[in-house]
Amino acid sequence: MSRTVAIVDDHTLFAQSLKNLINTFDGYEVSGIYKNGRELTHQFEANRAKPNLVLLDIKMPIMDGPETMCWLKENYPTQKVLALSMEDDEETITFMVKQGCRGYLLKDIDPDGFKFALNKVIEEGYFYTDAVSDAIKNKEKSLSKLTKREIEFLSLACTEMTYKEVASEMNLSPKTIDGYRESLFQKLNVKSRTGLVLYAIKNRILLL
Amino acid sequence: MSRTVAIVDDHTLFAQSLKNLINTFDGYEVSGIYKNGRELTHQFEANRAKPNLVLLDIKMPIMDGPETMCWLKENYPTQKVLALSMEDDEETITFMVKQGCRGYLLKDIDPDGFKFALNKVIEEGYFYTDAVSDAIKNKEKSLSKLTKREIEFLSLACTEMTYKEVASEMNLSPKTIDGYRESLFQKLNVKSRTGLVLYAIKNRILLL
DNA sequence: GTTCACAAGGGGAAAAATCCCCTTTTTCTA
DNA sequence: TAGAAAAAGGGGATTTTTCCCCTTGTGAAC
């Protein structure tokens, strides 16, 4: 009785190659390859047999990993999902885990480690590498030192609005905006508005 | 007589899976898998047999695609190289092509198209998808309206240096810096330094 | 030869950002 | 309960950025 695995990844070369690899694992069989979350949800809605495990890529132009994860949490909350990503993007890892993703793998894992992770998730329910666990901790740390209002200010500071305009947008005095600016400068160890923008982008607080 | 292919990619799961795929192609054989450009250059320097083709991933922490391409251009200019990337990053595509890369594939290519590309590069010397050709044209267009000095200024403007410090760095008068600032504001349709930073990052003139 | 773009630069002023010194009130935590 | 943090704000000064008006010199294209 094979364990079935569905692959959701728009990078066809990788998906097809991965299918070949998984089919060499004893007891595993790839039941389907889908280019995006949309194709997967269509399969689920057609009442086709559910796979034991969904391998879900994060970045896809149409219905990406996080979006698909939300749908699965709402419609098939017991479906086991293992995320695959190129990089340890803290923002996304944290989000996926909160949506019930059972594991998060980086694509630098070797085939043996990969097979081990598949077994873990199917048999025990969860598998996280140390790198991913660390990313979760770092993410919670990096934003936790900023208050809600500070984050709101930071988002607006990363636009071409003058601080006076930002004050108006937030219904505050320019002096308050100056207070937030100073607070962020100290917390983030920057010394200019440009520094704020660069920090926000580097730390994915601002997405472009 | 098999055509040999070397795979350079730090994403082990992908590299191993790709090796399995290529080994199913008649007339092809993977002669080696290397985690980064450094490992590849070591093989070349040890006078091992050169592969017919190098499949080179772009993003690697140690001696990445572009850096490896420079080394190959200088030391083995006739070595055929095919780049593999997740995305059509114009900056990198243009650079790689200038360094003599024979083709640039996105990882969303299917295995048949992939095999076709391998044949093209080995037999005819070159292979580019339409998407990649377009990226090359767009890249030349986006930077072409900026002068060399303006680009230099823009890079420094995207730091926390004051314009006075930038002027000093470029051995110019602050008035000249102001001239460049004004010129970029007009060309890029922005109205502040923040706008410059955001433009540079959105258009990948600045890489973070 | 003429025109335009690029490179480099000037005087001067206004607007925006940064800095330095604070304040009060409310909420949360140890 | 005391203290710290968060939220909101003030007066005032300095620095930096932006803006407005220009300049000269060089090289390339027509």
Side-chain angles (χ1 to χ4, degrees):
Chain A
M1 191 62 196
S2 288
R3 296 156 167 185
T4 54
V5 176
I7 300 175
V8 188
D9 195 320
D10 62 322
H11 292 122
T12 311
L13 189 60
F14 177 68
Q16 292 286 347
S17 302
L18 193 60
K19 172 181 175 178
N20 293 341
L21 177 69
I22 292 170
N23 284 340
T24 67
F25 294 164
D26 281 344
Y28 282 95
E29 178 187 8
V30 173
S31 60
I33 295 186
Y34 309 100
K35 283 185 165 307
N36 53 57
R38 179 76 36 75
E39 289 188 5
L40 180 75
T41 60
H42 285 166
Q43 288 293 314
F44 273 53
E45 284 165 343
N47 281 319
R48 299 285 295 274
K50 309 299 178 286
N52 296 107
L53 181 66
V54 172
L55 288 182
L56 183 59
D57 188 38
I58 299 297
K59 286 193 180 177
M60 293 179 283
I62 296 166
M63 200 168 182
D64 64 8
E67 197 179 343
T68 308
M69 200 66 233
C70 287
W71 187 89
L72 287 171
K73 182 183 181 182
E74 189 172 338
N75 297 283
Y76 298 92
T78 58
Q79 173 65 57
K80 286 173 182 174
V81 179
L82 188 55
L84 284 177
S85 181
M86 303 297 288
E87 51 199 31
D88 53 358
D89 167 6
E90 296 173 355
E91 186 96 18
T92 308
I93 293 173
T94 308
F95 181 87
M96 295 292 279
V97 171
K98 280 183 186 166
Q99 297 302 319
C101 184
R102 302 306 184 85
Y104 198 106
L105 296 184
L106 299 183
K107 290 182 182 175
D108 66 356
I109 197 166
D110 60 78
D112 288 341
F114 178 63
K115 186 176 179 184
F116 179 75
L118 294 190
N119 289 337
K120 273 286 188 178
V121 169
I122 288 185
E123 290 162 13
E124 302 183 16
Y126 294 91
F127 180 80
Y128 294 117
T129 63
D130 286 346
V132 170
S133 298
D134 287 346
I136 294 176
K137 287 178 198 148
N138 288 341
K139 169 64 183 178
E140 289 169 349
K141 206 184 304 184
S142 133
L143 262 196
S144 66
K145 58 186 174 180
L146 304 188
T147 68
K148 191 174 173 183
R149 284 299 254 178
E150 282 171 346
I151 292 168
E152 195 176 334
F153 162 71
L154 183 54
S155 294
L156 294 172
C158 296
T159 67
E160 292 205 73
M161 291 160 80
T162 62
Y163 283 146
K164 188 172 176 182
E165 288 164 346
V166 170
S168 182
E169 181 71 27
M170 292 177 77
N171 294 304
L172 298 174
S173 152
K175 297 305 297 187
T176 306
I177 294 303
D178 194 34
Y180 286 135
R181 176 201 59 69
E182 180 61 30
S183 178
L184 288 185
F185 277 18
Q186 287 179 16
K187 286 181 179 179
L188 308 182
N189 194 29
V190 301
K191 61 187 179 182
S192 68
R193 188 168 178 178
T194 301
L196 286 184
V197 175
L198 292 170
Y199 181 93
I201 291 169
K202 277 178 184 166
N203 290 274
R204 298 185 167 93
I205 296 168
L206 182 72
L207 300 176
L208 287 181
Chain B
M1 190 65 197
S2 288
R3 295 155 165 183
T4 53
V5 177
I7 299 176
V8 189
D9 194 320
D10 62 324
H11 292 121
T12 311
L13 189 59
F14 177 67
Q16 292 286 347
S17 302
L18 193 60
K19 172 182 176 177
N20 293 341
L21 178 68
I22 292 169
N23 284 339
T24 67
F25 294 163
D26 281 344
Y28 282 93
E29 178 187 10
V30 173
S31 59
I33 295 188
Y34 310 99
K35 283 186 165 310
N36 52 57
R38 178 75 37 74
E39 290 188 6
L40 181 75
T41 61
H42 285 166
Q43 287 294 312
F44 272 53
E45 285 166 341
N47 282 319
R48 299 285 297 271
K50 309 300 179 289
N52 293 108
L53 181 65
V54 172
L55 289 182
L56 182 59
D57 187 38
I58 298 297
K59 287 194 179 178
M60 294 180 282
I62 296 167
M63 201 169 179
D64 64 8
E67 196 180 342
T68 307
M69 201 63 236
C70 287
W71 187 88
L72 287 171
K73 181 183 182 183
E74 188 173 338
N75 296 285
Y76 298 92
T78 59
Q79 173 64 58
K80 286 174 184 174
V81 179
L82 188 53
L84 283 177
S85 181
M86 302 298 289
E87 51 197 33
D88 52 358
D89 167 7
E90 295 173 354
E91 186 96 19
T92 307
I93 293 173
T94 308
F95 181 87
M96 295 294 279
V97 170
K98 281 184 186 167
Q99 298 301 317
C101 185
R102 303 306 185 82
Y104 198 106
L105 295 184
L106 298 185
K107 290 181 181 177
D108 65 357
I109 197 167
D110 60 77
D112 288 342
F114 178 63
K115 185 175 178 184
F116 179 75
L118 294 190
N119 290 336
K120 274 283 188 181
V121 169
I122 289 186
E123 290 163 13
E124 301 183 18
Y126 294 92
F127 180 79
Y128 295 116
T129 62
D130 287 346
V132 171
S133 298
D134 287 347
I136 293 175
K137 285 177 197 149
N138 288 341
K139 170 63 183 177
E140 289 170 348
K141 205 184 302 183
S142 134
L143 262 195
S144 66
K145 57 185 176 180
L146 305 188
T147 68
K148 191 174 176 184
R149 285 300 253 176
E150 281 171 347
I151 293 167
E152 194 176 336
F153 162 71
L154 183 55
S155 294
L156 294 172
C158 296
T159 68
E160 293 207 71
M161 290 160 80
T162 63
Y163 284 145
K164 188 173 175 182
E165 288 164 345
V166 170
S168 183
E169 181 71 28
M170 293 176 78
N171 294 303
L172 298 173
S173 152
K175 297 305 298 186
T176 306
I177 295 302
D178 194 33
Y180 285 134
R181 177 202 56 71
E182 182 60 31
S183 178
L184 288 186
F185 277 19
Q186 287 178 13
K187 287 182 179 178
L188 309 182
N189 193 30
V190 302
K191 60 185 180 181
S192 67
R193 188 168 178 177
T194 301
L196 286 183
V197 175
L198 292 171
Y199 181 94
I201 290 169
K202 274 177 189 169
N203 290 273
R204 297 191 168 93
I205 295 168
L206 183 73
L207 301 176
L208 286 182

